[in-house]
């Protein structure tokens, strides 16, 4: 079966990132490996992945290897300065489920948006009474280098299509 709209896709891959800053390109460095013990599954056509990522996988079949680079513009784009904000430390109290250990520079805080959906913010700096948080996607500002294998391609179930995500062992819910 080939990867098409409404198929469930399982991948193993290594993701490397690089930056092209001021005409000096950095060497790609590894940031994530998904192996056969922990493949990445998604519903093709209904994911939050960059459209170019899905476009480059479209039509491939189980067992095929892939290797491509998503330039920053086709990945998560450039840093949005409006998503970097100062917030009072008091919002991140023990009563709200946060510990002092969680509030260290470089950590990602698990948060919820106003609709109850999970999100995260990276702590850029402790400013005393406030903390500087970055709500940009962690891969914003990078070129993404993918190398991997298509482990599985199958038709999505009616429930998966209705819910917009993969269910079962490799998804969000156990069936």
């Amino acid at each position: 079966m080939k990867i098409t709209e409404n198929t469930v896709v399982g991948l193993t891959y290594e993701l490397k990132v690089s930056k092209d800053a001021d005409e000096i390109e950095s060497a790609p460095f590894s940031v994530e490996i998904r192996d056969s013990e922990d493949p990445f599954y998604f519903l093709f056509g209904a994911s939050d992945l960059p459209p170019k990522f899905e476009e480059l996988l479209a039509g491939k079949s189980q067992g095929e290897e892939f290797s491509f680079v998503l330039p920053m513009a086709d990945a998560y784009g450039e840093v949005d300065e409006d998503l970097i904000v100062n917030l009072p430390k008091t919002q991140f109290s023990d009563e709200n489920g946060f510990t002092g250990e969680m509030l260290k520079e470089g950590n990602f805080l698990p948060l919820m948006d106003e609709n109850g959906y999970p999100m995260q913010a990276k702590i850029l700096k402790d400013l005393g009474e406030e903390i500087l948080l970055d709500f940009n996607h962690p891969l914003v500002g990078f070129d993404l280098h993918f190398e991997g294998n298509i482990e599985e391609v199958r038709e999505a179930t009616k429930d998966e299509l209705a819910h917009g995500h993969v269910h079962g062992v490799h998804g969000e819910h156990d069936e």
Side-chain angles (χ1 to χ4, degrees):
M1 171 175 265
K2 291 193 179 300
I3 297 174
T4 60
E5 194 85 10
N6 298 328
T7 56
V8 170
V9 180
L11 307 174
T12 54
Y13 62 82
E14 179 174 14
L15 168 60
K16 295 180 180 181
V17 298
S18 64
K19 254 186 184 188
D20 186 3
D22 300 327
E23 309 293 324
I24 302 169
E25 190 172 325
S26 69
F29 60 94
S30 185
V31 294
E32 182 180 33
I33 295 177
R34 297 298 290 261
D35 60 19
S36 58
E37 298 292 317
D38 183 30
F40 172 67
Y41 279 81
F42 67 99
L43 181 57
F44 192 86
S47 72
D48 288 331
L49 298 167
K52 188 71 171 177
F53 178 84
E54 288 194 353
E55 180 185 315
L56 292 169
L57 291 174
K60 295 194 179 303
S61 301
Q62 183 171 325
E64 277 191 63
E65 293 183 353
F66 60 90
S67 179
F68 55 80
V69 176
L70 287 183
M72 177 182 56
D74 291 330
Y76 292 99
E78 295 184 28
V79 172
D80 181 346
E81 296 296 331
D82 291 338
L83 296 177
I84 300 174
V85 296
N86 292 344
L87 291 176
K89 267 192 193 173
T90 55
Q91 289 187 358
F92 305 98
S93 64
D94 290 342
E95 295 82 37
N96 291 334
F98 297 95
T99 65
E101 189 64 30
M102 294 170 78
L103 300 179
K104 293 197 183 322
E105 290 179 16
N107 284 353
F108 285 90
L109 290 177
L111 304 169
M112 297 250 183
D113 69 11
E114 59 274 358
N115 297 316
Y117 292 106
M119 59 187 292
Q120 65 181 5
K122 183 177 182 178
I123 300 174
L124 297 180
K125 189 146 184 73
D126 185 336
L127 301 170
E129 296 296 313
E130 295 184 323
I131 52 176
L132 181 62
L133 296 175
D134 183 353
F135 285 89
N136 283 286
H137 189 283
L139 295 174
V140 76
F142 290 100
D143 295 335
L144 309 181
H145 304 250
F146 287 93
E147 224 174 282
N149 188 63
I150 312 239
E151 297 293 318
E152 183 177 356
V153 180
R154 66 169 174 80
E155 287 184 34
T157 66
K158 287 180 185 175
D159 280 346
E160 289 170 328
L161 292 173
H163 295 149
H165 58 254
V166 179
H167 289 188
V169 175
H170 303 296
E172 195 163 302
H173 305 289
D174 290 326
E175 291 187 320

